[in-house]
Amino acid sequence: MSESQTTVRLLPWSTSDGNPCFLAGDGSGYVSRVADSIETMQLDVADELLGHADDMLGDPKVTVRELRFLPRSWPRRCGTRAGSR
């Protein structure tokens, strides 16, 4: 019989004062499942944003200002803070 291994995981949210949240466990509990769901949504949004960026880079009518705005909006649209990961 193998023992479950405890690991520490950085969660995809922060505390109310902006500090990172960590979870110690085997990855099978409720909080881990919620974190998995949030991370899946964040990855889906990031994939959409990359597709949008690809479209913009192929469009000669896109302005420099529009191109600069796109990466600045990513943390907000993906539900993360800039520099948080």
Side-chain angles (χ1 to χ4, degrees):
M1 217 185 268
S2 66
E3 292 181 29
S4 62
Q5 186 175 10
T6 299
T7 59
V8 177
R9 173 183 183 173
L10 175 62
L11 296 171
W13 56 80
S14 57
T15 65
S16 60
D17 56 351
N19 292 317
C21 289
F22 296 93
L23 174 67
D26 64 3
S28 65
Y30 175 76
V31 174
S32 288
R33 291 191 302 275
V34 170
D36 289 343
S37 176
I38 291 171
E39 288 170 345
T40 297
M41 288 186 286
Q42 289 174 329
L43 289 170
D44 290 344
V45 170
D47 186 52
E48 290 176 23
L49 289 171
L50 287 173
H52 184 57
D54 190 46
D55 292 342
M56 288 179 72
L57 289 171
D59 183 351
K61 295 178 184 176
V62 173
T63 67
V64 171
R65 185 176 184 174
E66 291 171 319
L67 288 174
R68 287 183 178 158
F69 175 77
L70 185 65
R72 289 182 180 153
S73 71
W74 289 357
R76 176 184 50 81
R77 292 177 71 182
C78 290
T80 62
R81 294 177 297 116
S84 67
R85 285 188 129 189

